[in-house]
Amino acid sequence: MNNDNKKKLSLTLRPAMIHESLIIAEEDNKFKDWTQVRDEVLSNNLLQARTASTLKTIYGEVSKRLKNLTDDEMSLMTESDTDVKHLVWLAICRQYLFTYQFAVEVLSEYFDKSRFQLFTEDYIAFLNAKAEWHSNLDSITQQSRYKAQQIMFKMLVECGLVNEDKEILHQYLSPKLRELIQKTNVDDLGIFPGEYR
């Protein structure tokens, strides 16, 4: 599991990629060796990408995220369909501090205050507040800001945290997943609205 992922606030410009995450998790559980996983995925185009460069890009992003999960969390991803989306969200949040903080400071806080409707303005205000303290966020282009915003809302829907109307949904973690997260870092439960630490 990576521990150097929270050095700076950065935005992800890729969606959740749940299907691809599951394929790579299955290969990891088979080989338990990231070099072998990479070789298997790339040589057999397991992600069914149109070009070799797209395949490498997608593999690189998904594997970077999944390396933030423990071996037990990776195993659970392939054993329990109900936990897949939560584990993908956990991997994304552990990789991207900005997403982690958005989940805790906006999604979960709003949910705790019974404010279930999320607006685009909430994201923009959050990004602007963080940009005051993080120069790398302040310097990104308007186009990148807009794309990151679109991706964030797409990921939230894909991972089942909000519905299509941007309403925040109560998350119910399986007892096994909750136990694994508590073992690694109990604070990570805060990225799931309605999940109390």
Side-chain angles (χ1 to χ4, degrees), residues 29-47:
N29 285 325
K30 197 187 301 177
F31 296 111
K32 297 292 181 196
D33 177 316
W34 281 105
T35 303
Q36 277 187 276
V37 171
R38 184 179 190 276
D39 291 346
E40 190 71 14
V41 171
L42 298 187
S43 61
N44 295 306
N45 191 12
L46 295 184
L47 305 181

Side-chain angles (χ1 to χ4, degrees), residues 89-90 93 100 103-104 107-108 161 187-193 197:
W89 181 242
L90 179 64
C93 286
Y100 189 103
V104 172
L107 289 184
S108 290
L161 293 139
D187 290 340
D188 288 350
L189 290 173
I191 65 172
F192 300 103
R197 301 173 285 296

Side-chain angles (χ1 to χ4, degrees), residues 62-73:
V62 174
S63 63
K64 182 171 67 175
R65 295 171 180 181
L66 293 181
K67 286 174 185 175
N68 291 290
L69 299 179
T70 64
D71 288 344
D72 288 339
E73 288 164 348

Side-chain angles (χ1 to χ4, degrees), residues 100-173:
Y100 189 103
Q101 291 181 350
F102 183 80
V104 172
E105 296 172 27
V106 179
L107 289 184
S108 290
E109 272 191 32
Y110 281 17
F111 189 88
D112 290 349
K113 294 173 181 170
S114 300
R115 183 185 158 184
F116 305 119
Q117 185 65 55
L118 193 61
F119 296 97
T120 304
E121 291 76 17
D122 298 319
Y123 175 87
I124 293 168
F126 180 78
L127 177 57
N128 289 340
K130 294 296 176 183
E132 286 183 25
W133 298 95
H134 299 271
S135 58
N136 64 305
L137 289 180
D138 198 34
S139 61
I140 62 174
T141 65
Q142 279 303 117
Q143 186 179 357
S144 291
R145 277 175 169 244
Y146 180 73
K147 185 174 181 187
Q149 172 192 310
Q150 298 296 105
I151 293 294
M152 176 69 86
F153 282 106
K154 184 174 183 184
M155 283 193 307
L156 293 174
V157 172
E158 289 171 331
C159 292
L161 293 139
V162 304
N163 63 20
E164 294 286 351
D165 295 323
K166 296 188 182 130
E167 292 167 335
I168 304 168
L169 304 173
H170 191 296
Q171 300 300 297
Y172 298 94
L173 300 191

